[in-house]
Amino acid sequence: MNLVESLRTHRLLAVVRGKDAAAALSTVRTLAEEGIAAVEVSLTTTDALTVIRRARAELGPDALLGAGTVRSAADAARALDAGASYLVTPALVDGLEPYGVPVLMGALTPSEVEAALARGAAAIKLFPGSFGGPGYLKALRDPFPEVHFVPVGGVDAPAARAYLDRGALAVGVGSPLVGDAADGGDLSQLRVRAAEFRKITAGGTV
């Protein structure tokens, strides 16, 4: 299953960012165990490339393990060498097309959405999602009905449901899902939150 197909099916992208590399790896492992199909490790995570490399070795070649906060082609090359299978950017980034992997490219305005599509984005990371909220996504989808939008930034449980109801392909969720797990926090609570978000993205309520 490719990235867009997975996001369409599971409707959730977990965003891992932390200060403890070992804890970040445990977080990725736990999310996978809890059935979160797509996980992004931000390059701002301590020793992020090692986390990606070790997670790839553990999860196998087919896992949807991506690198986030990719801000340049050089970032992309390092992340792909470590084992990332897709890239997530916070903004418009040039030079990623030659790598031939799906890119979830950051954009906010209609002009940025067009620019991201011109750069070969597989989907648009609507960032920061909290800037306009679910109503803004609904407005964007009027001129861009065929575009895959994934809101990221400030997406808690109620917002996740609202975005999905307004046509988001999926939602990208960082701290409301991961909490402090990637900094060495309680993994049991991470499992509870993962179950909560899986229920929401499957169409349930909390």
Side-chain angles (χ1 to χ4, degrees):
M1 185 178 292
N2 68 28
L3 179 64
V4 170
E5 290 171 346
S6 175
L7 294 177
R8 181 181 291 113
T9 299
H10 300 285
R11 312 192 79 187
L12 179 61
L13 170 67
V15 181
V16 175
R17 177 183 291 106
K19 300 175 182 177
D20 182 321
L25 178 61
S26 295
T27 298
V28 174
R29 183 188 303 121
T30 301
L31 289 168
E33 290 170 355
E34 292 301 312
I36 307 299
V39 179
E40 163 198 338
V41 177
S42 170
L43 294 184
T44 59
T45 296
T46 298
D47 207 4
L49 296 178
T50 297
V51 174
I52 294 171
R53 188 173 288 109
R54 293 184 61 188
R56 173 60 67 200
E58 289 189 22
L59 300 179
D62 296 328
L64 287 171
L65 177 65
T69 324
V70 173
R71 297 176 57 196
S72 67
D75 282 347
R78 288 189 289 267
L80 295 173
D81 183 66
S85 57
Y86 62 91
L87 305 170
V88 184
T89 77
L92 301 174
V93 177
D94 291 319
L96 303 187
E97 299 96 320
Y99 293 107
V101 298
V103 177
L104 186 59
M105 190 166 290
L108 181 62
T109 67
S111 294
E112 290 173 351
V113 171
E114 289 284 16
L117 296 174
R119 288 166 170 79
I124 300 299
K125 172 183 173 177
L126 186 62
F127 180 77
S130 58
F131 182 82
Y136 182 65
L137 169 65
K138 184 176 184 299
L140 268 183
R141 292 195 70 246
D142 287 340
F144 298 106
E146 78 290 353
V147 174
H148 303 308
F149 287 102
V150 182
V152 181
V155 181
D156 58 11
R161 182 71 267 161
Y163 279 121
L164 294 172
D165 286 346
R166 287 162 177 79
L169 175 71
V171 289
V173 186
S175 57
L177 167 59
V178 174
D180 63 354
D183 296 324
D186 188 349
L187 292 178
S188 65
Q189 289 303 307
L190 173 62
R191 294 183 188 277
V192 171
R193 293 188 296 272
E196 175 187 24
F197 274 96
R198 283 195 67 200
K199 183 177 180 180
I200 292 168
T201 55
T205 58
V206 294

